[in-house]
Each structure stands twice: as structure tokens, then as C-alpha cells.
Amino acid sequence: MGAGATDPVWDISFRSTVRSERLRFTEEPRTSVRFPGTGERESSSHSDRTGIPDRIVPGREYHDGTVAYRLATRLVSGPDDGRGGAEGAEA
């Protein structure tokens, strides 16, 4: 980001770190992240792995692995729900 820019404010921000001494997958994992509903979103997800490759080999054993995962999303635009303005707002 340029000078003076600020990070976006996220509606949801999640961070997790998982560590394993020994890990083995019977099949290649399939992962996905979805945000059902209406409205346009700006989202970001990223994982950093240590000791566990991006491409898992089923049956292979991995040792001393760490996965640090980050996910963030925010609603950029969507249907008017009456929360943001005077029009349609309830007292």
C-alpha cells in the first residue's frame, strides 16, 4: 500500500496456527472457503506451511509440521438492510 494508506477494516478476521509432531493423510486434502449470501465481498486467505508441502502425497508421513492460516473478509456492497442510514431506519 502507498504512503498514508491504511489497512481495510474487516468484518471477519481469523488466524489459526496448527502444529503436528507427526501427520499422514490417507488422501490428498481438498479445501475451500465460501461466504454464502448476498452482497459483494473483499476476501483474503493465506497459509504458511513449515514441514508440510503445498502438494500432499497420500500415505507419506510428515514430521514437525506447522500451518499458520489467515482469513479475512468484509462486505463491500450489498442489499440495503436499514442499518446504515436514516431512510428506513427504525428508532
Side-chain angles (χ1 to χ4, degrees):
M1 298 190 150
T6 60
D7 290 334
V9 176
W10 300 103
D11 293 328
I12 298 171
S13 179
F14 174 84
R15 293 175 184 251
S16 178
T17 301
V18 178
R19 294 178 180 87
S20 67
E21 291 180 17
R22 185 176 67 178
L23 183 64
R24 181 178 47 192
F25 293 88
T26 56
E27 60 185 53
E28 188 173 345
R30 294 181 304 220
T31 63
S32 67
V33 177
R34 295 180 302 138
F35 298 98
T38 60
E40 183 181 341
R41 289 175 178 76
E42 178 183 346
S43 302
S44 170
S45 69
H46 179 76
S47 65
D48 293 314
R49 299 179 183 199
T50 304
I52 303 171
D54 289 335
R55 190 78 159 170
I56 297 296
V57 176
R60 180 174 290 170
E61 199 166 273
Y62 301 96
H63 297 274
D64 299 319
T66 301
V67 177
Y69 180 74
R70 296 182 305 276
L71 173 135
T73 189
R74 68 183 179 135
L75 194 58
V76 178
S77 66
D80 182 21
D81 61 1
R83 289 187 293 170
E87 190 174 302
E90 294 181 20

mmCIF file of all heavy atoms in Angstrom, residues 2-51:
data_model
loop_
_atom_site.group_PDB
_atom_site.id
_atom_site.type_symbol
_atom_site.label_atom_id
_atom_site.label_comp_id
_atom_site.label_asym_id
_atom_site.label_seq_id
_atom_site.Cartn_x
_atom_site.Cartn_y
_atom_site.Cartn_z
ATOM 1 N N GLY A 2 0.355 2.311 -0.532
ATOM 2 C CA GLY A 2 1.105 3.547 -0.634
ATOM 3 C C GLY A 2 1.195 4.283 0.691
ATOM 4 O O GLY A 2 0.560 3.937 1.668
ATOM 5 N N ALA A 3 1.966 5.329 0.690
ATOM 6 C CA ALA A 3 2.129 6.134 1.895
ATOM 7 C C ALA A 3 0.796 6.733 2.306
ATOM 8 O O ALA A 3 0.029 7.203 1.489
ATOM 9 C CB ALA A 3 3.152 7.241 1.644
ATOM 10 N N GLY A 4 0.506 6.647 3.594
ATOM 11 C CA GLY A 4 -0.722 7.218 4.116
ATOM 12 C C GLY A 4 -1.923 6.287 3.999
ATOM 13 O O GLY A 4 -2.979 6.583 4.515
ATOM 14 N N ALA A 5 -1.774 5.153 3.308
ATOM 15 C CA ALA A 5 -2.881 4.214 3.170
ATOM 16 C C ALA A 5 -3.021 3.407 4.458
ATOM 17 O O ALA A 5 -2.055 3.163 5.165
ATOM 18 C CB ALA A 5 -2.642 3.279 1.988
ATOM 19 N N THR A 6 -4.236 3.004 4.746
ATOM 20 C CA THR A 6 -4.479 2.186 5.922
ATOM 21 C C THR A 6 -5.003 0.826 5.495
ATOM 22 O O THR A 6 -5.551 0.672 4.412
ATOM 23 C CB THR A 6 -5.514 2.855 6.855
ATOM 24 O OG1 THR A 6 -6.741 3.016 6.145
ATOM 25 C CG2 THR A 6 -5.019 4.200 7.349
ATOM 26 N N ASP A 7 -4.808 -0.162 6.358
ATOM 27 C CA ASP A 7 -5.341 -1.485 6.097
ATOM 28 C C ASP A 7 -6.860 -1.433 6.173
ATOM 29 O O ASP A 7 -7.426 -0.676 6.961
ATOM 30 C CB ASP A 7 -4.820 -2.486 7.130
ATOM 31 C CG ASP A 7 -3.338 -2.780 6.964
ATOM 32 O OD1 ASP A 7 -2.833 -2.636 5.833
ATOM 33 O OD2 ASP A 7 -2.693 -3.154 7.953
ATOM 34 N N PRO A 8 -7.550 -2.259 5.373
ATOM 35 C CA PRO A 8 -9.007 -2.256 5.433
ATOM 36 C C PRO A 8 -9.501 -2.795 6.775
ATOM 37 O O PRO A 8 -8.811 -3.563 7.435
ATOM 38 C CB PRO A 8 -9.414 -3.190 4.285
ATOM 39 C CG PRO A 8 -8.204 -3.985 3.957
ATOM 40 C CD PRO A 8 -7.028 -3.184 4.392
ATOM 41 N N VAL A 9 -10.679 -2.369 7.154
ATOM 42 C CA VAL A 9 -11.330 -2.886 8.350
ATOM 43 C C VAL A 9 -12.145 -4.094 7.910
ATOM 44 O O VAL A 9 -12.993 -3.988 7.026
ATOM 45 C CB VAL A 9 -12.237 -1.818 9.000
ATOM 46 C CG1 VAL A 9 -12.984 -2.404 10.172
ATOM 47 C CG2 VAL A 9 -11.408 -0.622 9.425
ATOM 48 N N TRP A 10 -11.872 -5.252 8.499
ATOM 49 C CA TRP A 10 -12.526 -6.489 8.099
ATOM 50 C C TRP A 10 -13.740 -6.767 8.975
ATOM 51 O O TRP A 10 -13.732 -6.493 10.174
ATOM 52 C CB TRP A 10 -11.539 -7.654 8.210
ATOM 53 C CG TRP A 10 -10.341 -7.477 7.339
ATOM 54 C CD1 TRP A 10 -9.089 -7.093 7.741
ATOM 55 C CD2 TRP A 10 -10.263 -7.640 5.929
ATOM 56 N NE1 TRP A 10 -8.249 -7.020 6.661
ATOM 57 C CE2 TRP A 10 -8.940 -7.354 5.537
ATOM 58 C CE3 TRP A 10 -11.185 -8.010 4.952
ATOM 59 C CZ2 TRP A 10 -8.510 -7.431 4.211
ATOM 60 C CZ3 TRP A 10 -10.758 -8.090 3.636
ATOM 61 C CH2 TRP A 10 -9.440 -7.802 3.281
ATOM 62 N N ASP A 11 -14.808 -7.315 8.378
ATOM 63 C CA ASP A 11 -15.975 -7.750 9.145
ATOM 64 C C ASP A 11 -15.640 -9.027 9.919
ATOM 65 O O ASP A 11 -16.076 -9.211 11.047
ATOM 66 C CB ASP A 11 -17.163 -8.025 8.216
ATOM 67 C CG ASP A 11 -17.682 -6.760 7.561
ATOM 68 O OD1 ASP A 11 -17.604 -5.684 8.190
ATOM 69 O OD2 ASP A 11 -18.167 -6.836 6.426
ATOM 70 N N ILE A 12 -14.857 -9.908 9.290
ATOM 71 C CA ILE A 12 -14.413 -11.146 9.920
ATOM 72 C C ILE A 12 -12.925 -11.288 9.663
ATOM 73 O O ILE A 12 -12.467 -11.138 8.535
ATOM 74 C CB ILE A 12 -15.145 -12.377 9.336
ATOM 75 C CG1 ILE A 12 -16.641 -12.287 9.601
ATOM 76 C CG2 ILE A 12 -14.561 -13.669 9.906
ATOM 77 C CD1 ILE A 12 -17.431 -13.353 8.880
ATOM 78 N N SER A 13 -12.173 -11.565 10.711
ATOM 79 C CA SER A 13 -10.748 -11.813 10.580
ATOM 80 C C SER A 13 -10.414 -12.993 11.480
ATOM 81 O O SER A 13 -10.768 -13.005 12.662
ATOM 82 C CB SER A 13 -9.953 -10.578 11.018
ATOM 83 O OG SER A 13 -8.578 -10.820 10.912
ATOM 84 N N PHE A 14 -9.756 -13.993 10.917
ATOM 85 C CA PHE A 14 -9.498 -15.237 11.632
ATOM 86 C C PHE A 14 -8.049 -15.639 11.410
ATOM 87 O O PHE A 14 -7.562 -15.601 10.288
ATOM 88 C CB PHE A 14 -10.445 -16.317 11.086
ATOM 89 C CG PHE A 14 -10.206 -17.691 11.630
ATOM 90 C CD1 PHE A 14 -10.761 -18.084 12.832
ATOM 91 C CD2 PHE A 14 -9.431 -18.597 10.928
ATOM 92 C CE1 PHE A 14 -10.544 -19.349 13.330
ATOM 93 C CE2 PHE A 14 -9.216 -19.879 11.417
ATOM 94 C CZ PHE A 14 -9.777 -20.249 12.628
ATOM 95 N N ARG A 15 -7.365 -16.024 12.479
ATOM 96 C CA ARG A 15 -5.992 -16.529 12.398
ATOM 97 C C ARG A 15 -5.901 -17.789 13.246
ATOM 98 O O ARG A 15 -6.472 -17.851 14.333
ATOM 99 C CB ARG A 15 -4.986 -15.514 12.939
ATOM 100 C CG ARG A 15 -4.870 -14.277 12.106
ATOM 101 C CD ARG A 15 -3.938 -13.281 12.802
ATOM 102 N NE ARG A 15 -3.901 -12.056 12.042
ATOM 103 C CZ ARG A 15 -2.855 -11.658 11.343
ATOM 104 N NH1 ARG A 15 -1.762 -12.371 11.322
ATOM 105 N NH2 ARG A 15 -2.901 -10.539 10.663
ATOM 106 N N SER A 16 -5.191 -18.769 12.739
ATOM 107 C CA SER A 16 -5.022 -20.012 13.470
ATOM 108 C C SER A 16 -3.655 -20.605 13.141
ATOM 109 O O SER A 16 -3.187 -20.497 12.018
ATOM 110 C CB SER A 16 -6.131 -20.998 13.075
ATOM 111 O OG SER A 16 -5.951 -22.223 13.744
ATOM 112 N N THR A 17 -3.048 -21.247 14.126
ATOM 113 C CA THR A 17 -1.799 -21.966 13.909
ATOM 114 C C THR A 17 -1.979 -23.380 14.434
ATOM 115 O O THR A 17 -2.446 -23.579 15.556
ATOM 116 C CB THR A 17 -0.621 -21.286 14.637
ATOM 117 O OG1 THR A 17 -0.493 -19.952 14.143
ATOM 118 C CG2 THR A 17 0.673 -22.026 14.398
ATOM 119 N N VAL A 18 -1.618 -24.354 13.594
ATOM 120 C CA VAL A 18 -1.724 -25.760 13.953
ATOM 121 C C VAL A 18 -0.332 -26.365 13.838
ATOM 122 O O VAL A 18 0.358 -26.151 12.840
ATOM 123 C CB VAL A 18 -2.714 -26.493 13.016
ATOM 124 C CG1 VAL A 18 -2.783 -27.968 13.348
ATOM 125 C CG2 VAL A 18 -4.085 -25.853 13.087
ATOM 126 N N ARG A 19 0.060 -27.117 14.861
ATOM 127 C CA ARG A 19 1.365 -27.781 14.853
ATOM 128 C C ARG A 19 1.157 -29.280 15.003
ATOM 129 O O ARG A 19 0.257 -29.717 15.711
ATOM 130 C CB ARG A 19 2.225 -27.262 16.005
ATOM 131 C CG ARG A 19 2.605 -25.817 15.853
ATOM 132 C CD ARG A 19 3.436 -25.324 17.045
ATOM 133 N NE ARG A 19 3.781 -23.934 16.879
ATOM 134 C CZ ARG A 19 3.026 -22.918 17.267
ATOM 135 N NH1 ARG A 19 1.882 -23.145 17.853
ATOM 136 N NH2 ARG A 19 3.414 -21.669 17.068
ATOM 137 N N SER A 20 2.026 -30.053 14.343
ATOM 138 C CA SER A 20 1.940 -31.507 14.470
ATOM 139 C C SER A 20 3.335 -32.105 14.626
ATOM 140 O O SER A 20 4.295 -31.616 14.021
ATOM 141 C CB SER A 20 1.256 -32.116 13.246
ATOM 142 O OG SER A 20 2.050 -31.956 12.107
ATOM 143 N N GLU A 21 3.433 -33.144 15.447
ATOM 144 C CA GLU A 21 4.687 -33.892 15.547
ATOM 145 C C GLU A 21 4.784 -34.883 14.395
ATOM 146 O O GLU A 21 5.841 -35.079 13.833
ATOM 147 C CB GLU A 21 4.754 -34.637 16.879
ATOM 148 C CG GLU A 21 4.909 -33.723 18.072
ATOM 149 C CD GLU A 21 4.970 -34.502 19.372
ATOM 150 O OE1 GLU A 21 5.214 -35.730 19.341
ATOM 151 O OE2 GLU A 21 4.759 -33.879 20.430
ATOM 152 N N ARG A 22 3.647 -35.493 14.076
ATOM 153 C CA ARG A 22 3.604 -36.492 13.005
ATOM 154 C C ARG A 22 2.237 -36.399 12.335
ATOM 155 O O ARG A 22 1.212 -36.334 13.004
ATOM 156 C CB ARG A 22 3.806 -37.881 13.603
ATOM 157 C CG ARG A 22 3.900 -38.960 12.578
ATOM 158 C CD ARG A 22 4.192 -40.264 13.224
ATOM 159 N NE ARG A 22 3.039 -40.644 14.030
ATOM 160 C CZ ARG A 22 2.950 -41.770 14.708
ATOM 161 N NH1 ARG A 22 3.938 -42.614 14.729
ATOM 162 N NH2 ARG A 22 1.866 -42.040 15.389
ATOM 163 N N LEU A 23 2.230 -36.398 11.017
ATOM 164 C CA LEU A 23 0.987 -36.224 10.266
ATOM 165 C C LEU A 23 1.031 -37.068 8.997
ATOM 166 O O LEU A 23 2.040 -37.096 8.292
ATOM 167 C CB LEU A 23 0.838 -34.738 9.895
ATOM 168 C CG LEU A 23 -0.406 -34.291 9.162
ATOM 169 C CD1 LEU A 23 -1.652 -34.506 10.019
ATOM 170 C CD2 LEU A 23 -0.282 -32.833 8.780
ATOM 171 N N ARG A 24 -0.070 -37.770 8.722
ATOM 172 C CA ARG A 24 -0.163 -38.567 7.493
ATOM 173 C C ARG A 24 -1.600 -38.470 6.974
ATOM 174 O O ARG A 24 -2.552 -38.604 7.729
ATOM 175 C CB ARG A 24 0.181 -40.028 7.755
ATOM 176 C CG ARG A 24 0.111 -40.856 6.485
ATOM 177 C CD ARG A 24 0.498 -42.271 6.706
ATOM 178 N NE ARG A 24 -0.176 -42.781 7.888
ATOM 179 C CZ ARG A 24 0.124 -43.915 8.484
ATOM 180 N NH1 ARG A 24 1.078 -44.662 8.027
ATOM 181 N NH2 ARG A 24 -0.536 -44.303 9.540
ATOM 182 N N PHE A 25 -1.746 -38.208 5.691
ATOM 183 C CA PHE A 25 -3.042 -38.119 5.035
ATOM 184 C C PHE A 25 -3.279 -39.414 4.250
ATOM 185 O O PHE A 25 -2.381 -39.891 3.558
ATOM 186 C CB PHE A 25 -3.080 -36.941 4.052
ATOM 187 C CG PHE A 25 -2.997 -35.596 4.715
ATOM 188 C CD1 PHE A 25 -1.752 -35.019 4.970
ATOM 189 C CD2 PHE A 25 -4.135 -34.912 5.074
ATOM 190 C CE1 PHE A 25 -1.662 -33.777 5.571
ATOM 191 C CE2 PHE A 25 -4.056 -33.674 5.677
ATOM 192 C CZ PHE A 25 -2.813 -33.102 5.926
ATOM 193 N N THR A 26 -4.492 -39.947 4.324
ATOM 194 C CA THR A 26 -4.815 -41.136 3.529
ATOM 195 C C THR A 26 -5.159 -40.750 2.099
ATOM 196 O O THR A 26 -5.066 -41.573 1.195
ATOM 197 C CB THR A 26 -5.988 -41.924 4.143
ATOM 198 O OG1 THR A 26 -7.110 -41.059 4.276
ATOM 199 C CG2 THR A 26 -5.604 -42.469 5.512
ATOM 200 N N GLU A 27 -5.576 -39.499 1.902
ATOM 201 C CA GLU A 27 -5.835 -38.984 0.561
ATOM 202 C C GLU A 27 -5.470 -37.504 0.527
ATOM 203 O O GLU A 27 -5.353 -36.857 1.568
ATOM 204 C CB GLU A 27 -7.284 -39.193 0.143
ATOM 205 C CG GLU A 27 -8.301 -38.518 1.044
ATOM 206 C CD GLU A 27 -9.728 -38.864 0.665
ATOM 207 O OE1 GLU A 27 -10.058 -40.045 0.570
ATOM 208 O OE2 GLU A 27 -10.509 -37.912 0.468
ATOM 209 N N GLU A 28 -5.294 -36.977 -0.672
ATOM 210 C CA GLU A 28 -4.940 -35.570 -0.816
ATOM 211 C C GLU A 28 -6.091 -34.705 -0.314
ATOM 212 O O GLU A 28 -7.244 -34.895 -0.715
ATOM 213 C CB GLU A 28 -4.647 -35.251 -2.281
ATOM 214 C CG GLU A 28 -4.087 -33.873 -2.484
ATOM 215 C CD GLU A 28 -3.638 -33.633 -3.915
ATOM 216 O OE1 GLU A 28 -3.496 -34.594 -4.686
ATOM 217 O OE2 GLU A 28 -3.448 -32.456 -4.254
ATOM 218 N N PRO A 29 -5.821 -33.767 0.603
ATOM 219 C CA PRO A 29 -6.894 -32.926 1.136
ATOM 220 C C PRO A 29 -7.481 -31.990 0.079
ATOM 221 O O PRO A 29 -6.770 -31.528 -0.813
ATOM 222 C CB PRO A 29 -6.227 -32.119 2.245
ATOM 223 C CG PRO A 29 -4.781 -32.391 2.179
ATOM 224 C CD PRO A 29 -4.534 -33.464 1.190
ATOM 225 N N ARG A 30 -8.778 -31.740 0.197
ATOM 226 C CA ARG A 30 -9.469 -30.755 -0.650
ATOM 227 C C ARG A 30 -10.008 -29.685 0.280
ATOM 228 O O ARG A 30 -10.749 -29.979 1.207
ATOM 229 C CB ARG A 30 -10.606 -31.419 -1.418
ATOM 230 C CG ARG A 30 -10.131 -32.429 -2.428
ATOM 231 C CD ARG A 30 -11.294 -33.023 -3.155
ATOM 232 N NE ARG A 30 -12.217 -33.587 -2.176
ATOM 233 C CZ ARG A 30 -12.861 -34.724 -2.321
ATOM 234 N NH1 ARG A 30 -12.699 -35.427 -3.403
ATOM 235 N NH2 ARG A 30 -13.678 -35.160 -1.397
ATOM 236 N N THR A 31 -9.619 -28.461 0.031
ATOM 237 C CA THR A 31 -10.054 -27.364 0.894
ATOM 238 C C THR A 31 -10.770 -26.300 0.075
ATOM 239 O O THR A 31 -10.521 -26.159 -1.125
ATOM 240 C CB THR A 31 -8.859 -26.717 1.619
ATOM 241 O OG1 THR A 31 -7.985 -26.156 0.647
ATOM 242 C CG2 THR A 31 -8.098 -27.726 2.459
ATOM 243 N N SER A 32 -11.658 -25.579 0.734
ATOM 244 C CA SER A 32 -12.335 -24.452 0.091
ATOM 245 C C SER A 32 -12.848 -23.507 1.167
ATOM 246 O O SER A 32 -13.075 -23.910 2.299
ATOM 247 C CB SER A 32 -13.486 -24.917 -0.805
ATOM 248 O OG SER A 32 -14.511 -25.484 -0.026
ATOM 249 N N VAL A 33 -12.996 -22.258 0.789
ATOM 250 C CA VAL A 33 -13.560 -21.232 1.664
ATOM 251 C C VAL A 33 -14.686 -20.573 0.895
ATOM 252 O O VAL A 33 -14.497 -20.145 -0.244
ATOM 253 C CB VAL A 33 -12.499 -20.176 2.056
ATOM 254 C CG1 VAL A 33 -13.125 -19.075 2.901
ATOM 255 C CG2 VAL A 33 -11.339 -20.830 2.788
ATOM 256 N N ARG A 34 -15.879 -20.524 1.493
ATOM 257 C CA ARG A 34 -17.032 -19.904 0.829
ATOM 258 C C ARG A 34 -17.718 -18.960 1.800
ATOM 259 O O ARG A 34 -17.720 -19.181 2.997
ATOM 260 C CB ARG A 34 -18.039 -20.971 0.396
ATOM 261 C CG ARG A 34 -17.497 -21.903 -0.659
ATOM 262 C CD ARG A 34 -18.498 -22.957 -1.074
ATOM 263 N NE ARG A 34 -18.911 -23.734 0.090
ATOM 264 C CZ ARG A 34 -20.162 -24.111 0.327
ATOM 265 N NH1 ARG A 34 -21.124 -23.801 -0.500
ATOM 266 N NH2 ARG A 34 -20.453 -24.819 1.394
ATOM 267 N N PHE A 35 -18.299 -17.922 1.254
ATOM 268 C CA PHE A 35 -19.078 -16.963 2.015
ATOM 269 C C PHE A 35 -20.449 -16.860 1.357
ATOM 270 O O PHE A 35 -20.650 -16.027 0.480
ATOM 271 C CB PHE A 35 -18.388 -15.591 2.039
ATOM 272 C CG PHE A 35 -17.041 -15.623 2.696
ATOM 273 C CD1 PHE A 35 -15.890 -15.701 1.938
ATOM 274 C CD2 PHE A 35 -16.934 -15.605 4.069
ATOM 275 C CE1 PHE A 35 -14.654 -15.740 2.533
ATOM 276 C CE2 PHE A 35 -15.690 -15.644 4.682
ATOM 277 C CZ PHE A 35 -14.549 -15.710 3.918
ATOM 278 N N PRO A 36 -21.386 -17.723 1.742
ATOM 279 C CA PRO A 36 -22.705 -17.685 1.108
ATOM 280 C C PRO A 36 -23.475 -16.423 1.508
ATOM 281 O O PRO A 36 -23.174 -15.801 2.523
ATOM 282 C CB PRO A 36 -23.385 -18.935 1.639
ATOM 283 C CG PRO A 36 -22.697 -19.252 2.919
ATOM 284 C CD PRO A 36 -21.289 -18.744 2.772
ATOM 285 N N GLY A 37 -24.420 -16.067 0.699
ATOM 286 C CA GLY A 37 -25.236 -14.899 0.977
ATOM 287 C C GLY A 37 -25.161 -13.910 -0.164
ATOM 288 O O GLY A 37 -24.597 -14.181 -1.218
ATOM 289 N N THR A 38 -25.749 -12.745 0.065
ATOM 290 C CA THR A 38 -25.774 -11.723 -0.973
ATOM 291 C C THR A 38 -24.812 -10.600 -0.622
ATOM 292 O O THR A 38 -24.409 -10.447 0.515
ATOM 293 C CB THR A 38 -27.196 -11.143 -1.131
ATOM 294 O OG1 THR A 38 -27.588 -10.576 0.122
ATOM 295 C CG2 THR A 38 -28.176 -12.213 -1.541
ATOM 296 N N GLY A 39 -24.472 -9.834 -1.620
ATOM 297 C CA GLY A 39 -23.574 -8.697 -1.438
ATOM 298 C C GLY A 39 -22.179 -9.027 -1.917
ATOM 299 O O GLY A 39 -21.747 -10.174 -1.907
ATOM 300 N N GLU A 40 -21.485 -8.005 -2.350
ATOM 301 C CA GLU A 40 -20.120 -8.165 -2.843
ATOM 302 C C GLU A 40 -19.146 -8.131 -1.671
ATOM 303 O O GLU A 40 -19.274 -7.311 -0.775
ATOM 304 C CB GLU A 40 -19.797 -7.031 -3.820
ATOM 305 C CG GLU A 40 -18.436 -7.142 -4.441
ATOM 306 C CD GLU A 40 -18.154 -5.990 -5.390
ATOM 307 O OE1 GLU A 40 -19.101 -5.319 -5.834
ATOM 308 O OE2 GLU A 40 -16.971 -5.762 -5.666
ATOM 309 N N ARG A 41 -18.172 -9.041 -1.684
ATOM 310 C CA ARG A 41 -17.192 -9.132 -0.608
ATOM 311 C C ARG A 41 -15.772 -8.952 -1.136
ATOM 312 O O ARG A 41 -15.476 -9.305 -2.263
ATOM 313 C CB ARG A 41 -17.276 -10.503 0.063
ATOM 314 C CG ARG A 41 -18.511 -10.692 0.889
ATOM 315 C CD ARG A 41 -18.568 -12.115 1.420
ATOM 316 N NE ARG A 41 -19.719 -12.321 2.254
ATOM 317 C CZ ARG A 41 -20.941 -12.477 1.821
ATOM 318 N NH1 ARG A 41 -21.183 -12.443 0.539
ATOM 319 N NH2 ARG A 41 -21.944 -12.650 2.644
ATOM 320 N N GLU A 42 -14.929 -8.464 -0.266
ATOM 321 C CA GLU A 42 -13.490 -8.456 -0.496
ATOM 322 C C GLU A 42 -12.923 -9.445 0.521
ATOM 323 O O GLU A 42 -13.172 -9.313 1.723
ATOM 324 C CB GLU A 42 -12.921 -7.066 -0.261
ATOM 325 C CG GLU A 42 -11.427 -6.992 -0.428
ATOM 326 C CD GLU A 42 -10.885 -5.606 -0.122
ATOM 327 O OE1 GLU A 42 -11.665 -4.649 -0.044
ATOM 328 O OE2 GLU A 42 -9.666 -5.507 0.050
ATOM 329 N N SER A 43 -12.222 -10.466 0.045
ATOM 330 C CA SER A 43 -11.737 -11.517 0.928
ATOM 331 C C SER A 43 -10.283 -11.848 0.651
ATOM 332 O O SER A 43 -9.786 -11.658 -0.455
ATOM 333 C CB SER A 43 -12.576 -12.794 0.747
ATOM 334 O OG SER A 43 -13.922 -12.551 1.007
ATOM 335 N N SER A 44 -9.643 -12.389 1.671
ATOM 336 C CA SER A 44 -8.259 -12.796 1.559
ATOM 337 C C SER A 44 -8.039 -14.012 2.442
ATOM 338 O O SER A 44 -8.541 -14.068 3.565
ATOM 339 C CB SER A 44 -7.370 -11.637 2.030
ATOM 340 O OG SER A 44 -6.038 -12.053 2.153
ATOM 341 N N SER A 45 -7.323 -15.021 1.939
ATOM 342 C CA SER A 45 -6.920 -16.145 2.774
ATOM 343 C C SER A 45 -5.533 -16.589 2.340
ATOM 344 O O SER A 45 -5.163 -16.493 1.167
ATOM 345 C CB SER A 45 -7.919 -17.301 2.676
ATOM 346 O OG SER A 45 -7.869 -17.905 1.413
ATOM 347 N N HIS A 46 -4.756 -17.031 3.311
ATOM 348 C CA HIS A 46 -3.381 -17.418 3.031
ATOM 349 C C HIS A 46 -2.897 -18.367 4.122
ATOM 350 O O HIS A 46 -3.265 -18.213 5.290
ATOM 351 C CB HIS A 46 -2.483 -16.175 2.999
ATOM 352 C CG HIS A 46 -1.053 -16.492 2.734
ATOM 353 N ND1 HIS A 46 -0.591 -16.811 1.480
ATOM 354 C CD2 HIS A 46 0.010 -16.549 3.557
ATOM 355 C CE1 HIS A 46 0.703 -17.051 1.557
ATOM 356 N NE2 HIS A 46 1.090 -16.893 2.802
ATOM 357 N N SER A 47 -2.103 -19.361 3.726
ATOM 358 C CA SER A 47 -1.486 -20.235 4.718
ATOM 359 C C SER A 47 0.015 -20.294 4.477
ATOM 360 O O SER A 47 0.478 -20.261 3.339
ATOM 361 C CB SER A 47 -2.091 -21.643 4.666
ATOM 362 O OG SER A 47 -1.807 -22.272 3.438
ATOM 363 N N ASP A 48 0.750 -20.339 5.571
ATOM 364 C CA ASP A 48 2.198 -20.541 5.546
ATOM 365 C C ASP A 48 2.461 -21.890 6.179
ATOM 366 O O ASP A 48 2.005 -22.157 7.290
ATOM 367 C CB ASP A 48 2.923 -19.446 6.342
ATOM 368 C CG ASP A 48 2.804 -18.086 5.693
ATOM 369 O OD1 ASP A 48 3.001 -18.006 4.462
ATOM 370 O OD2 ASP A 48 2.511 -17.111 6.405
ATOM 371 N N ARG A 49 3.189 -22.751 5.461
ATOM 372 C CA ARG A 49 3.463 -24.103 5.948
ATOM 373 C C ARG A 49 4.951 -24.291 6.178
ATOM 374 O O ARG A 49 5.772 -23.818 5.397
ATOM 375 C CB ARG A 49 3.012 -25.145 4.926
ATOM 376 C CG ARG A 49 1.542 -25.103 4.633
ATOM 377 C CD ARG A 49 1.221 -26.151 3.600
ATOM 378 N NE ARG A 49 -0.180 -26.108 3.223
ATOM 379 C CZ ARG A 49 -0.797 -27.108 2.630
ATOM 380 N NH1 ARG A 49 -0.145 -28.214 2.326
ATOM 381 N NH2 ARG A 49 -2.062 -27.004 2.335
ATOM 382 N N THR A 50 5.266 -25.029 7.238
ATOM 383 C CA THR A 50 6.627 -25.445 7.525
ATOM 384 C C THR A 50 6.598 -26.957 7.733
ATOM 385 O O THR A 50 5.805 -27.451 8.539
ATOM 386 C CB THR A 50 7.157 -24.755 8.808
ATOM 387 O OG1 THR A 50 7.055 -23.348 8.642
ATOM 388 C CG2 THR A 50 8.592 -25.135 9.087
ATOM 389 N N GLY A 51 7.404 -27.692 6.992
ATOM 390 C CA GLY A 51 7.459 -29.138 7.144
ATOM 391 C C GLY A 51 6.330 -29.885 6.455
ATOM 392 O O GLY A 51 6.270 -31.109 6.516
#
